[in-house]
Amino acid sequence: EVQLVETGGGLIQPGGSLRLSCAASGFSVSYEYMSWVRQAPGKGLEWVSGIYGGGRAFYADSVEGRFTMSRDNSINTLYLHMNSLRAEDTAVYYCARVNHNYNYFDYWGQGTLVTVSS
Amino acid sequence: QSVLTQPPSVSGTPGQRVTISCSGSSSNIGTGHAVNWYQQLPGAAPKLLIYVTSDRPSGVPDRFSGSKSGTSASLVITGLQAEDEADYYCQSYDSRLSASVFGGGTKLTVL
């Protein structure tokens, strides 16, 4: 059974850093295209970043240069390193597995809430 | 402002048919990129509902169907049920942005 479990969210001051984790089971992240998607309170879904099996990562313009997506294949876990956090980064962050041929998000985690506030 | 445009809300009574539209452009839906739909129940994570325009994952009732024409797509729900009350999002890939893009979401209310 495919499962994704995000952890690491919390309250952080503007300008701070945070690392989110996404533990995967039921498949190997090293072979799949994986993404982070966020949802601000009461708002819609926003794609944040993605990483292919080969390790190349891509980012939305809104987080380029501040966020870094990585993975540890040995423990089947994804990470989202977030720096220079802003109030507008406040959101529930979901990790998701993506079908790389047709770009659909077939499995989602339960999400972890990041609140950027002083 | 979302790249894909959806109506903020739709409503219907049990048993009715409702349609949710998703309008894109020549850099996403119009180029032939797959259109996908997600259902988000209150307080839950999104769930894949329709993929590649009209395919349903295992377990999704055939009351849900999708279609696409030109730069737009639609999600149709027939035989509306109370449990269908949720937010629905369309999604595609945008070649100009080199990014996955979502619609702003449509809140379905079952009256």
Side-chain angles (χ1 to χ4, degrees), chain B residues 2 4 10 19-21 26 28 33 35 50 60 62-64 66 70 76-77 81-82 84-85 88 103 111:
Chain B
S2 301
L4 304 180
V10 298
T19 300
I20 298 173
S21 62
S26 59
N28 41 69
H33 288 300
V35 179
I50 298 285
V60 173
D62 60 6
R63 302 186 295 105
F64 295 90
V76 174
I77 309 172
Q81 299 181 4
D84 298 333
E85 190 160 285
Y88 293 84
L111 302 170

Short mmCIF file of all heavy atoms in Angstrom, two decimals, chain B residues 2 4 10 19-21 26 28 33 35 50 60 62-64 66 70 76-77 81-82 84-85 88 103 111:
data_model
loop_
_atom_site.label_atom_id
_atom_site.label_comp_id
_atom_site.label_asym_id
_atom_site.label_seq_id
_atom_site.Cartn_x
_atom_site.Cartn_y
_atom_site.Cartn_z
N SER B 2 -5.23 32.19 -10.51
CA SER B 2 -4.83 30.86 -10.98
C SER B 2 -4.71 30.83 -12.49
O SER B 2 -5.40 31.55 -13.21
CB SER B 2 -5.86 29.83 -10.52
OG SER B 2 -5.98 29.82 -9.11
N LEU B 4 -5.42 28.22 -14.35
CA LEU B 4 -6.65 27.57 -14.80
C LEU B 4 -7.82 28.20 -14.05
O LEU B 4 -7.75 28.38 -12.83
CB LEU B 4 -6.59 26.07 -14.55
CG LEU B 4 -5.39 25.34 -15.16
CD1 LEU B 4 -5.44 23.85 -14.84
CD2 LEU B 4 -5.34 25.55 -16.68
N VAL B 10 -20.52 25.87 -7.18
CA VAL B 10 -21.67 25.31 -7.88
C VAL B 10 -22.51 24.61 -6.84
O VAL B 10 -22.03 24.26 -5.76
CB VAL B 10 -21.28 24.32 -9.00
CG1 VAL B 10 -20.46 25.00 -10.09
CG2 VAL B 10 -20.56 23.13 -8.45
N THR B 19 -22.02 20.35 -13.48
CA THR B 19 -20.82 20.44 -14.30
C THR B 19 -19.91 21.51 -13.73
O THR B 19 -20.37 22.60 -13.39
CB THR B 19 -21.17 20.80 -15.76
OG1 THR B 19 -22.02 19.79 -16.30
CG2 THR B 19 -19.91 20.92 -16.60
N ILE B 20 -18.64 21.20 -13.63
CA ILE B 20 -17.63 22.15 -13.20
C ILE B 20 -16.67 22.37 -14.35
O ILE B 20 -16.08 21.41 -14.88
CB ILE B 20 -16.87 21.64 -11.96
CG1 ILE B 20 -17.83 21.45 -10.79
CG2 ILE B 20 -15.76 22.62 -11.58
CD1 ILE B 20 -17.21 20.79 -9.56
N SER B 21 -16.53 23.61 -14.75
CA SER B 21 -15.68 23.94 -15.89
C SER B 21 -14.27 24.33 -15.45
O SER B 21 -14.05 24.74 -14.31
CB SER B 21 -16.30 25.08 -16.70
OG SER B 21 -16.40 26.24 -15.87
N SER B 26 -3.52 28.14 -24.43
CA SER B 26 -2.74 27.37 -25.41
C SER B 26 -1.44 26.84 -24.85
O SER B 26 -0.78 26.03 -25.49
CB SER B 26 -2.44 28.25 -26.62
OG SER B 26 -1.73 29.41 -26.22
N ASN B 28 -1.28 25.27 -21.84
CA ASN B 28 -1.55 24.16 -20.93
C ASN B 28 -2.57 23.19 -21.54
O ASN B 28 -2.20 22.31 -22.31
CB ASN B 28 -1.96 24.65 -19.54
CG ASN B 28 -2.91 25.84 -19.56
OD1 ASN B 28 -4.06 25.70 -19.96
ND2 ASN B 28 -2.44 26.99 -19.13
N HIS B 33 -1.75 18.84 -23.03
CA HIS B 33 -1.35 18.30 -21.73
C HIS B 33 -2.57 17.72 -21.03
O HIS B 33 -3.68 18.24 -21.15
CB HIS B 33 -0.72 19.38 -20.86
CG HIS B 33 0.64 19.80 -21.34
ND1 HIS B 33 1.70 18.92 -21.43
CD2 HIS B 33 1.12 21.00 -21.75
CE1 HIS B 33 2.77 19.56 -21.88
NE2 HIS B 33 2.44 20.82 -22.09
N VAL B 35 -5.45 16.76 -18.51
CA VAL B 35 -6.22 17.48 -17.50
C VAL B 35 -6.62 16.46 -16.44
O VAL B 35 -7.12 15.38 -16.77
CB VAL B 35 -7.47 18.14 -18.10
CG1 VAL B 35 -8.26 18.85 -17.00
CG2 VAL B 35 -7.08 19.11 -19.20
N ILE B 50 -10.11 12.16 -11.39
CA ILE B 50 -10.10 11.89 -12.83
C ILE B 50 -8.69 12.20 -13.32
O ILE B 50 -8.11 13.22 -12.95
CB ILE B 50 -11.09 12.78 -13.60
CG1 ILE B 50 -12.53 12.51 -13.17
CG2 ILE B 50 -10.92 12.61 -15.11
CD1 ILE B 50 -13.13 11.22 -13.69
N VAL B 60 -13.32 5.04 -7.81
CA VAL B 60 -14.09 6.26 -8.08
C VAL B 60 -15.35 5.88 -8.86
O VAL B 60 -15.26 5.24 -9.92
CB VAL B 60 -13.26 7.29 -8.88
CG1 VAL B 60 -14.13 8.48 -9.29
CG2 VAL B 60 -12.07 7.76 -8.04
N ASP B 62 -18.58 5.73 -11.29
CA ASP B 62 -18.73 6.22 -12.68
C ASP B 62 -19.71 7.38 -12.78
O ASP B 62 -20.00 7.86 -13.87
CB ASP B 62 -19.12 5.07 -13.61
CG ASP B 62 -20.44 4.41 -13.23
OD1 ASP B 62 -21.11 4.91 -12.30
OD2 ASP B 62 -20.78 3.38 -13.83
N ARG B 63 -20.19 7.85 -11.64
CA ARG B 63 -20.98 9.10 -11.63
C ARG B 63 -20.10 10.31 -11.97
O ARG B 63 -20.61 11.37 -12.33
CB ARG B 63 -21.61 9.33 -10.25
CG ARG B 63 -22.51 8.21 -9.77
CD ARG B 63 -23.21 8.57 -8.47
NE ARG B 63 -22.31 8.74 -7.34
CZ ARG B 63 -21.96 9.91 -6.83
NH1 ARG B 63 -22.42 11.04 -7.35
NH2 ARG B 63 -21.15 9.96 -5.79
N PHE B 64 -18.81 10.12 -11.83
CA PHE B 64 -17.86 11.18 -12.12
C PHE B 64 -17.26 10.95 -13.50
O PHE B 64 -16.78 9.85 -13.80
CB PHE B 64 -16.73 11.20 -11.08
CG PHE B 64 -17.17 11.54 -9.69
CD1 PHE B 64 -17.58 10.54 -8.81
CD2 PHE B 64 -17.20 12.86 -9.26
CE1 PHE B 64 -18.00 10.84 -7.53
CE2 PHE B 64 -17.61 13.18 -7.97
CZ PHE B 64 -18.02 12.16 -7.10
N GLY B 66 -15.13 13.06 -17.00
CA GLY B 66 -14.43 14.25 -17.45
C GLY B 66 -14.36 14.31 -18.96
O GLY B 66 -14.46 13.29 -19.64
N GLY B 70 -10.69 21.84 -26.80
CA GLY B 70 -9.87 23.02 -27.00
C GLY B 70 -9.05 23.36 -25.77
O GLY B 70 -8.24 22.56 -25.31
N VAL B 76 -18.09 16.35 -14.80
CA VAL B 76 -19.52 16.17 -14.66
C VAL B 76 -19.79 15.15 -13.56
O VAL B 76 -19.15 14.09 -13.52
CB VAL B 76 -20.16 15.69 -15.98
CG1 VAL B 76 -21.64 15.37 -15.78
CG2 VAL B 76 -19.98 16.75 -17.05
N ILE B 77 -20.70 15.50 -12.69
CA ILE B 77 -21.13 14.59 -11.63
C ILE B 77 -22.62 14.36 -11.83
O ILE B 77 -23.41 15.31 -11.82
CB ILE B 77 -20.89 15.18 -10.22
CG1 ILE B 77 -19.44 15.67 -10.08
CG2 ILE B 77 -21.20 14.14 -9.15
CD1 ILE B 77 -19.17 16.44 -8.79
N GLN B 81 -24.83 13.18 -4.81
CA GLN B 81 -25.08 12.67 -3.47
C GLN B 81 -24.51 13.63 -2.44
O GLN B 81 -23.59 14.39 -2.71
CB GLN B 81 -24.44 11.29 -3.32
CG GLN B 81 -24.98 10.24 -4.26
CD GLN B 81 -24.35 8.87 -4.07
OE1 GLN B 81 -23.54 8.65 -3.18
NE2 GLN B 81 -24.75 7.92 -4.93
N ALA B 82 -25.03 13.55 -1.24
CA ALA B 82 -24.59 14.45 -0.17
C ALA B 82 -23.09 14.32 0.08
O ALA B 82 -22.41 15.31 0.37
CB ALA B 82 -25.37 14.15 1.11
N ASP B 84 -20.82 14.02 -1.96
CA ASP B 84 -20.02 14.67 -3.00
C ASP B 84 -19.69 16.11 -2.64
O ASP B 84 -18.91 16.76 -3.35
CB ASP B 84 -20.78 14.66 -4.34
CG ASP B 84 -21.07 13.26 -4.85
OD1 ASP B 84 -20.31 12.34 -4.50
OD2 ASP B 84 -22.06 13.10 -5.60
N GLU B 85 -20.26 16.60 -1.55
CA GLU B 85 -19.98 17.99 -1.14
C GLU B 85 -18.51 18.11 -0.77
O GLU B 85 -18.02 17.49 0.18
CB GLU B 85 -20.88 18.38 0.02
CG GLU B 85 -20.82 19.87 0.34
CD GLU B 85 -22.02 20.33 1.14
OE1 GLU B 85 -23.12 20.47 0.58
OE2 GLU B 85 -21.84 20.53 2.36
N TYR B 88 -13.38 20.92 -5.56
CA TYR B 88 -12.86 20.20 -6.72
C TYR B 88 -11.86 21.09 -7.46
O TYR B 88 -12.11 22.28 -7.67
CB TYR B 88 -14.02 19.82 -7.65
CG TYR B 88 -14.93 18.78 -7.03
CD1 TYR B 88 -15.96 19.16 -6.17
CD2 TYR B 88 -14.73 17.42 -7.28
CE1 TYR B 88 -16.78 18.21 -5.58
CE2 TYR B 88 -15.54 16.47 -6.69
CZ TYR B 88 -16.56 16.87 -5.84
OH TYR B 88 -17.37 15.92 -5.25
N GLY B 103 -6.35 24.82 -10.99
CA GLY B 103 -7.42 25.79 -10.97
C GLY B 103 -7.61 26.30 -9.55
O GLY B 103 -7.07 25.73 -8.60
N LEU B 111 -27.51 20.78 -1.92
CA LEU B 111 -28.59 21.45 -1.19
C LEU B 111 -29.56 20.48 -0.53
O LEU B 111 -29.73 19.36 -1.00
CB LEU B 111 -29.34 22.37 -2.15
CG LEU B 111 -28.47 23.45 -2.84
CD1 LEU B 111 -29.24 24.13 -3.95
CD2 LEU B 111 -27.97 24.46 -1.80
#
